[in-house]
Amino acid sequence: MRDVCVVGLGLIGGSVLRAAKAAGRTVWGAAQAEDAAKAEADGFTVLRLDEALERARREDALVVLAVPLPAVPDVLRKVRPGTRLTDVTSVKGPVADAVHRYAPEARFVGGHPMAGTSRSGWDASRADLFQNAAWVVTAEQSDDVLIDVITLAFDAGAHVVPTTPEEHDAAVARISHLPHVLAAVLAAVGADGGPLALALAAGSFGDGTRVAGSRPELVRAMCEGNRDALLGAVDDALGRLGAARGSLASTGGLAKTIDAGHEARLKLINQPERTPLTIDLTSPEAITALHSLGSRGGRIVALNGTTVKAEIS
């Protein structure tokens, strides 16, 4: 088992550290003072950033970058050449660009576990956060670092979805970042209804605004970091809201809007059965095959040497 160094011990980074340790790996981290103190109190080794990265170089560990997007360049400037590097940041294009600029000699495979809560910080982290979650991987070549990242995801209880940074960012703009924007709008609209509205708020309002409870600076970093893709998703949502308003004003009906949403929800719940297939990671066509798998909604569920077992709808 390869050792793991996690830089940033908030909800996601802390959960990666806990999951890797639970899987039997040697782990250590680096973090800001508050999270560092809490992680140390829970029995984890936390070093200064320079020390953590030097130990990772010396022991050929996998470094997991788990800091907010604005902090990524500062960390990358200190990453040693040849370091095995991945990340768990919620956007992939800007991180890949930053790696190419600030740590071009790192051996990088992007990552993004699709799991989280509205809570943040070390106290919110837990070893089972990624159970049954999708863990995105983006790789430009098939090598042992890609295998390192896939193995880490499996150790955390996740399945792996391979894709490109561009396709990832377009997808999460719709299913992750736009929901944060809509939750913020919905929460503000509800609060503007005054004390009575909030006193009557029940399940639908609570479900729809849950992620608005996340730390605002983290949400801003995530959404603003995916600006171009998010603009397209916001435009789509505004068009649908405009159509709903027009229909409500002219005919009093919302059938088209409500029916389309209901059908889309059923697609999420009732996804079709999956067909198994295998991909040889040593093949010259491996990366193309992996990207095709992800584009079609497929996932990697097992690794046997350099062969992955996958499932696709």
Side-chain angles (χ1 to χ4, degrees):
M1 285 187 173
R2 192 171 301 283
D3 296 351
V4 172
C5 167
V6 182
V7 179
L9 299 179
L11 168 64
I12 302 299
S15 296
V16 172
L17 195 74
R18 292 182 187 273
K21 183 176 182 179
R25 296 178 184 246
T26 298
V27 302
W28 62 93
Q32 294 182 341
E34 182 178 355
D35 285 331
K38 292 178 178 179
E40 286 181 322
D42 284 343
F44 289 84
T45 299
V46 184
L47 307 174
R48 291 190 302 106
L49 178 59
D50 287 342
E51 294 173 343
L53 293 176
E54 173 56 26
R55 180 177 174 183
R57 183 203 62 78
R58 187 173 64 248
E59 301 186 17
D60 198 23
L62 176 64
V63 175
V64 182
L65 195 60
V67 297
L69 184 61
V72 166
D74 289 339
V75 177
L76 289 176
R77 289 186 182 97
K78 299 183 178 182
V79 169
R80 277 56 167 179
T83 295
R84 298 172 183 268
L85 180 68
T86 187
D87 76 300
V88 290
T89 313
S90 59
V91 290
K92 299 274 63 75
V95 174
D97 292 344
V99 171
H100 289 151
R101 179 176 181 181
Y102 299 110
E105 297 182 32
R107 302 175 62 194
F108 176 68
V109 172
H112 180 203
M114 301 299 299
T117 71
S118 58
R119 298 177 60 214
S120 59
W122 173 263
D123 288 340
S125 67
R126 63 178 200 264
D128 64 349
L129 181 67
F130 310 112
Q131 286 292 324
N132 302 314
W135 191 305
V136 172
V137 295
T138 59
E140 297 178 357
Q141 64 278 325
S142 179
D143 60 13
D144 57 340
V145 181
L146 174 59
I147 292 175
D148 287 341
V149 178
I150 291 173
T151 303
L152 176 63
F154 287 160
D155 280 352
H159 59 266
V160 171
V161 178
T163 186
T164 66
E166 296 77 15
E167 288 193 341
H168 166 275
D169 290 354
V172 297
R174 290 178 174 271
I175 55 85
S176 178
H177 303 163
L178 178 63
H180 278 277
V181 175
L182 294 179
V185 172
L186 180 59
V189 169
D192 283 351
L196 176 60
L198 294 180
L200 298 179
S204 61
F205 186 75
D207 291 345
T209 61
R210 178 183 62 82
V211 296
S214 304
R215 284 171 53 187
E217 66 272 21
L218 297 181
V219 176
R220 290 198 305 271
M222 174 178 65
C223 293
E224 292 168 2
N226 200 21
R227 175 178 178 269
D228 291 343
L230 182 54
L231 278 171
V234 170
D235 285 345
D236 191 352
L238 288 174
R240 293 171 187 268
L241 284 172
R245 188 200 183 282
S247 179
L248 187 63
S250 61
T251 69
L254 286 173
K256 187 174 181 179
T257 298
I258 301 302
D259 290 350
H262 181 71
E263 291 175 10
R265 174 67 181 178
L266 292 180
K267 287 181 180 179
L268 173 65
I269 297 172
N270 301 318
Q271 296 190 37
E273 292 187 7
R274 298 176 180 268
T275 301
L277 72 154
T278 59
I279 297 174
D280 180 2
L281 295 180
T282 65
S283 166
E285 304 300 322
I287 292 298
T288 299
L290 289 173
H291 290 168
S292 176
L293 174 71
S295 294
R296 297 165 61 191
R299 61 188 185 182
I300 299 170
V301 295
L303 175 67
N304 182 13
T306 59
T307 300
V308 295
K309 178 182 177 183
E311 297 176 343
I312 194 164
S313 299

